[in-house]
Amino acid sequence: MENVNEVLEKFNFKGENKEVKVFGSGHINTTYLATYDNNGEELKYVIQKINSNVFKNIDGLMDNIFKVTPHLRKKIKEAGGDENRETLHFINTKDDKNYYTDENGDYYRAYVFVPESISYDKADDSNLLYESGMAFGRFQRLLADFAANSLYETLPDFHNTQKRFETEFIPAVNNNIASRKAECEKEIEFVTSREEYCSRVVNLIKENKIPLRVTHNDTKLNNVLFDENSNKAICVIDLDTVMPGTALYDFGDAIRFGTNFAEEDEKDTSKVGINLDYFKAYAEGFLSEAGKSLNQTEIDNLAFASLLMTFECGMRFLTDYLNGDTYFKTAYSDHNLVRARNQFALVADMEKHMDEMNEIIKNIKID
Ligand code: ADP
Ligand code: GN1
Ligand code: MG
């Protein structure tokens, strides 16, 4: 497990280390859970090796997190919430830095594990969707008065679908670096025949029809912590992509992941589809917190954004497959292709249900 024990010693943790193990199911960073004994009291910390292949400016990224989390803490406290539980609490190194660089040039950061919390890779009831919708809606609301221009853009054009199509997907197809193109002709055709989707939200931004806000940009269900006893959402995690974005990205990406009948890498695509009850539950939760701040164009595009974020993610998995798996962590050789096929099956199902999805949004009262 690399040199994680050495890494632990660099941080200001309380007590004596008892155990450390690999943890979580994110596709980007490597996450460890360390248990400490502090004079009989059990304390847990999360340590993450930040993926520096993905994130090029670690100072900028950590600076964002150390700006955003105190803001959230203050707002949560003012509203009478529990600021220690409802936002992440990062720990500095012993020499007072917000991350540690080891001799290999790898970067690590640490935060307190929220006691009695759990995250889900797949929902088993609509309440989890309602709760996560509230959590991300609230997150956006609490950051509405945060100066967006003080944030470093950790991954520029992260959800610019048009740019991803033109500058990443098409070159990946043309270059065919990993010689995998022949086995994904059908999937390539799926994307190219839907190119028109890519510019729709980008154009709404350009035309000033929807505003940029401070958003999370990676609103997967497993980026929300739940109370393991009550299943109430506690807080939003994975803050690496908090930067200016649109409400549509946050809504759409959550629907992509949380409402799929199957997990994101289910191979049997006949199991993939959108659970409309979950869609309704998430929309109700999200709009109960963020609804009042959205304009009509944003509301009118929530259903389409769900399809777009699913399409974009499928295209990113396919791009990575064509490039030889250099971005997302994979567990087996065609993992990214399996993920792409899964996302495209979900896109196709959303296309069938788009009218119902729009109708569900229309019928939600925002007050
Ligand atoms: P990544 O960028 O790799 O997705 P995350 O910050 O999302 O990194 O952490 C990876 C995973 O670890 C999460 O999806 C979640 O499953 C788990 N995780 C992280 N922090 C906690 C925590 N405090 N409590 C429970 N699970 C956590
Ligand atoms: C990655 O880090 P994680 O696993 O929460 C990715 C998201 C994708 C998602 C697909 C920084 O999210 O954009 O939607 O995988 N994060 C980054 O599951 O690229
Ligand atoms: Mg994550």
Side-chain angles (χ1 to χ4, degrees), residues 25-29 54-55 155 158-159 217-218 220 222-223 238 241 253 256-257 264 313 316-317 327-328:
S25 48
H27 297 340
I28 305 295
N29 298 313
V54 169
F55 298 105
L155 296 169
F158 190 53
H159 285 306
N217 294 302
D218 187 4
K220 284 160 76 162
N222 66 16
N223 285 332
D238 203 346
T241 51
D253 194 50
R256 169 192 81 74
F257 190 87
E264 187 185 62
C313 193
R316 290 175 63 197
F317 286 142
Y327 187 93
F328 296 105

Side-chain angles (χ1 to χ4, degrees), residues 48-59:
Q48 286 185 317
K49 181 162 121 186
I50 310 167
N51 187 328
S52 55
N53 181 39
V54 169
F55 298 105
K56 300 297 179 200
N57 180 343
I58 309 291
D59 278 320

Side-chain angles (χ1 to χ4, degrees), residues 77 103 212:
K77 212 169 148 189
E103 62 278 7
L212 286 179

Side-chain angles (χ1 to χ4, degrees), residues 211-316:
L212 286 179
R213 306 171 181 280
V214 178
T215 49
H216 184 280
N217 294 302
D218 187 4
T219 51
K220 284 160 76 162
L221 180 66
N222 66 16
N223 285 332
V224 177
L225 295 184
F226 291 84
D227 184 296
E228 66 182 7
N229 304 309
S230 68
N231 264 343
K232 293 250 169 240
I234 306 171
C235 73
V236 163
I237 62 169
D238 203 346
L239 305 176
D240 297 332
T241 51
V242 176
M243 55 187 169
T246 81
L248 295 179
Y249 302 151
D250 274 10
F251 182 86
D253 194 50
I255 297 302
R256 169 192 81 74
F257 190 87
T259 68
N260 191 344
F261 281 114
E263 284 200 42
E264 187 185 62
D265 59 357
E266 168 62 55
K267 289 183 183 166
D268 179 355
T269 52
S270 71
K271 294 184 179 156
V272 171
I274 177 163
N275 182 328
L276 292 174
D277 292 335
Y278 285 13
F279 177 78
K280 179 165 178 271
Y282 188 90
E284 285 174 346
F286 184 77
L287 291 173
S288 74
E289 288 281 348
K292 270 196 285 193
S293 63
L294 302 186
N295 71 27
Q296 197 55 43
T297 308
E298 289 175 299
I299 295 172
D300 292 345
N301 280 282
L302 291 172
F304 171 71
S306 311
L307 186 156
L308 181 69
M309 288 295 98
T310 311
F311 178 76
E312 179 188 275
C313 193
M315 179 169 79
R316 290 175 63 197

Side-chain angles (χ1 to χ4, degrees), residues 352-363:
K352 276 196 216 138
H353 293 289
M354 193 41 60
D355 289 346
E356 288 154 88
M357 290 161 71
N358 275 315
E359 204 52 34
I360 288 170
I361 301 287
K362 239 190 229 156
N363 288 331

